Structure formats: structure tokens, C-alpha cells
Amino acid sequence: MSRPGWAFVNAGSGPGHLQRVPSNAQFTRVQRAYRAYIDHSRDCPNCAFDTTSCDVAEELWRTYVAANS
């Protein structure tokens, strides 16, 4: 697993700056967690047609938030 690093961000007309970027492993983990949440929300009869989330959706969301921090 690679560690987070730094990348140069072009600021247009200014000198630009360095910005911290996540590792590829962290990015993949976050994307998978979010995809699981979205897929569930689309396919779950309660989540897709109701304004409230089911227990599974809430757990998937907590997993996404934990992966994103």
C-alpha cells in the first residue's frame, strides 16, 4: 500500500501550490464503499422509493465515511 503524497496543483495565473493527495489504495477503498452505498440505494425497495434509509444503507454510509477519513 502506498502512502499519501503531494501533487503540484496549477493555480492558473498564480504560482500554484502543493496539495496532499490520497494513495491509490485509499482512493479505491473510498470508491468501493461509495459504490456499494449507491448500488444498494438504487436496488433496495425501501431506499429507492422512500425518503428514509434502511439499516443496511445506514451501515454502508458509515463504512463510506470511515473509509473517507
Side-chain angles (χ1 to χ4, degrees), residues 27-56:
F27 179 77
T28 301
R29 210 171 25 254
V30 169
Q31 291 299 309
R32 284 184 184 167
Y34 188 67
R35 173 54 48 198
Y37 173 75
I38 293 298
D39 288 345
H40 170 80
S41 297
R42 181 192 63 219
D43 297 334
C44 175
N46 292 335
C47 296
F49 299 108
D50 198 356
T51 58
T52 60
S53 298
C54 69
D55 293 337
V56 174

Side-chain angles (χ1 to χ4, degrees), residues 3 17 26 33 52:
R3 296 181 182 266
H17 63 278
Q26 180 185 2
T52 60

